[in-house]
Amino acid sequence: VACSLMQKTSLEAARTCVICGSSEHLAVDCAKNSRSQNEWPRIKKVVTSSLPDDCASVACGDRMSVVITTSPVPSNPSTMMLEAVLNSFARVEGLQGCPLVIVCDGYKCSGKSTWKAGKITEDAAERYAAYVQNLEDMLHSGRLPRSTRLVILEGRNGQALAVKAGLQEVATPFVCVHQHDLEFMFDFSLATLLDVLADESNDVRYVGMPLLVNLHYEAIAWQHHGVRVQEQEHNGLRLVPVVFWYDSTHITSVHHYNSCVFAPKQQFRPGDFVEETFGVRQREDIMAHGMVAHPKYGTYHCLSHSVDGSRRPLICHLNGVRFLTPEQRAERGYPADPPVEFFASRTMVNRKQRKVRFILDLVAAFCGSGDREAKVRDVIAKQLNDARMRSCATASSSLPRVRQPTAHAFAVP
């Protein structure tokens, strides 16, 4: 017992505050864990590559930059999720050649991790520090494009202020704001999209990439907000107006961000999200005054269609709060690499398209009615679901990888 107490005491003495490095207290008790409201965002440092810069201009790189916001998640210190997201850029022509800014938000230490709120435990803080260091190592080793800039923030800034910090490092007229757990699925003619945004004869100022949940926005706008919107065509690009500024992947101009979202009258506190503050104010404005108020926001969604004409989401959600590497899953006692269909947020087919009621009805017709019919339907439904799970690829093998690495590609280690 004495030895156990001595080991515990020595272990506690060895631990230091991950914020200021003091051995006299932990981060949860650190004075720097609670900041005043002044001078946000708080930028700790900006890291650039130690390798010679490759100044070659590629595709849309002179017109648009990409700002990715990242923050603590359970899979830290692994960079697997972010690398998969970066590798998915290869699916969009011209996107890999755009300058990249990765903004690493800070956190507040707490006794329990609440990931979206930016509150994490001491252990999670240590893993996140190792994750940020891994990103720096990737930059200096050439596994990230040499023009990449890492913006490391101090304390919990939140999504809105993290984007504001990232915009300070953008030198192009347009910017794609992206999150660390969203994967590009299909090409959408980036060059044409930028031409539409640059055309001052229209009111398109923001083009978002729809997820599966908001794929048919016309119904959402009418049923939830009482606003009717219709699909439009701009220079061959199919767009639909949206009455909300989504934080999900979107492309707009730096000027529109600074003059509209981050205008002097728009105030953001640490921890705020743009869609939960500015986005709500925009939606209320349009609901009160109608679509006549929409042009000053200019928010649209880009539509993509399959060969059969049906709409398809341009991005899917890897769900950073649930994402774990196969090794991390095994350590926690989960199946190491389950089928990708196990993760609802990563599937590209909605529930209605998966229903097999027609098949079950045909089979049940041969079985008569009563208890026997219900039992047969249950058995067959389970067999069909099990077969679907067995036949699909594993989660890790479904992550995007670079097939033909180039000077601007993101190499998989």
Side-chain angles (χ1 to χ4, degrees):
V1 174
C3 291
S4 177
L5 290 174
M6 290 177 63
Q7 289 178 350
K8 182 177 180 180
T9 303
S10 62
L11 180 61
E12 291 178 346
R15 299 190 68 176
T16 59
C17 174
V18 296
I19 296 178
C20 68
S22 173
S23 59
E24 298 180 357
H25 59 262
L26 298 179
V28 69
D29 300 316
C30 183
K32 293 184 178 181
N33 196 27
S34 179
R35 291 286 192 176
S36 66
Q37 300 298 311
N38 300 323
E39 299 181 2
W40 293 90
R42 292 185 179 275
I43 300 176
K44 185 177 182 180
K45 63 178 179 177
V46 177
V47 182
T48 57
S49 176
S50 58
L51 301 175
D53 190 12
D54 184 357
C55 299
S57 176
V58 179
C60 302
D62 293 334
R63 305 178 68 188
M64 189 187 81
S65 300
V66 179
V67 171
I68 296 182
T69 56
T70 186
S71 55
V73 289
S75 61
N76 297 148
S78 170
T79 60
M80 181 180 186
M81 182 178 72
L82 181 59
E83 289 187 74
V85 169
L86 295 175
N87 290 342
S88 73
F89 285 19
R91 295 170 175 163
V92 181
E93 184 178 356
L95 189 58
Q96 283 188 303
C98 296
L100 180 64
V101 178
I102 302 177
V103 184
C104 303
D105 196 5
Y107 52 84
K108 293 185 69 174
C109 278
S110 176
K112 179 182 178 180
S113 290
T114 309
W115 303 103
K116 185 175 181 180
K119 297 180 179 179
I120 58 176
T121 64
E122 296 279 342
D123 290 338
E126 293 175 0
R127 294 196 301 271
Y128 183 62
Y131 164 77
V132 174
Q133 183 59 55
N134 287 340
L135 292 182
E136 291 190 42
D137 294 342
M138 290 174 61
L139 178 58
H140 295 312
S141 65
R143 289 165 56 196
L144 287 175
R146 298 178 183 180
S147 60
T148 301
R149 304 179 74 85
L150 295 180
V151 182
I152 302 174
L153 305 183
E154 182 180 359
R156 166 65 170 173
N157 286 253
Q159 185 271 343
L161 294 172
V163 171
K164 188 174 184 179
L167 291 179
Q168 297 178 20
E169 302 299 321
V170 172
T172 54
F174 298 103
V175 62
C176 172
V177 176
H178 195 63
Q179 297 175 9
H180 65 170
D181 60 354
L182 294 178
E183 173 189 347
F184 284 99
M185 301 305 299
F186 304 103
D187 194 9
F188 52 84
S189 186
L190 175 58
T192 301
L193 190 153
L194 295 179
D195 289 340
V196 172
L197 286 172
D199 186 356
E200 296 184 357
S201 65
N202 63 55
D203 66 351
V204 181
R205 298 294 174 263
Y206 159 115
V207 179
M209 308 298 148
L211 287 155
L212 189 64
V213 294
N214 53 19
L215 195 56
H216 299 278
Y217 190 80
E218 296 93 330
I220 296 174
W222 175 242
Q223 295 172 8
H224 294 278
H225 314 310
V227 178
R228 291 196 180 277
V229 297
Q230 294 182 344
E231 183 177 333
Q232 304 176 10
E233 181 176 346
H234 294 268
N235 198 15
L237 204 65
R238 306 300 300 181
L239 304 174
V240 62
V242 296
V243 301
F244 189 69
W245 189 289
Y246 285 97
D247 287 334
S248 182
T249 306
H250 57 274
I251 300 174
T252 183
S253 69
V254 176
H255 172 74
H256 191 51
Y257 242 118
N258 290 330
S259 62
C260 188
V261 178
F262 295 129
K265 65 179 180 179
Q266 303 290 346
Q267 299 296 319
F268 293 93
R269 298 174 300 176
D272 281 349
F273 290 77
V274 172
E275 67 180 14
E276 294 178 356
T277 50
F278 176 85
V280 172
R281 292 192 288 269
Q282 173 189 344
R283 183 175 62 200
E284 292 175 346
D285 182 18
I286 295 176
M287 290 175 65
H289 301 96
M291 288 300 288
V292 67
H294 181 264
K296 62 184 176 184
Y297 303 105
T299 47
Y300 288 78
H301 266 175
C302 181
L303 302 180
S304 178
H305 298 84
S306 303
V307 291
D308 62 358
S310 61
R311 292 184 185 180
R312 61 187 183 183
L314 284 169
I315 54 175
C316 80
H317 189 203
L318 294 178
N319 198 343
V321 174
R322 291 188 62 195
F323 187 96
L324 293 171
T325 68
E327 295 77 15
Q328 291 169 337
R329 289 183 58 85
E331 290 174 359
R332 289 164 171 77
Y334 304 138
D337 203 4
V340 68
E341 290 278 349
F342 179 78
F343 302 97
S345 63
R346 293 181 58 186
T347 57
M348 303 298 292
V349 182
N350 60 37
R351 292 182 179 180
K352 289 185 178 180
Q353 291 173 297
R354 283 213 185 100
K355 286 184 177 179
V356 292
R357 182 179 298 175
F358 178 72
I359 299 175
L360 297 178
D361 288 343
L362 290 177
V363 175
F366 292 98
C367 303
S369 59
D371 294 340
R372 183 183 180 187
E373 176 186 355
K375 291 179 180 179
V376 169
R377 291 175 67 94
D378 290 343
V379 170
I380 295 177
K382 184 178 185 305
Q383 292 296 324
L384 288 172
N385 183 66
D386 290 345
R388 177 172 60 84
M389 297 291 281
R390 289 194 305 268
S391 62
C392 72
T394 61
S396 64
S397 65
S398 300
L399 294 174
R401 298 178 182 275
V402 175
R403 297 178 182 177
Q404 296 178 342
T406 66
H408 295 274
F410 307 98
V412 176

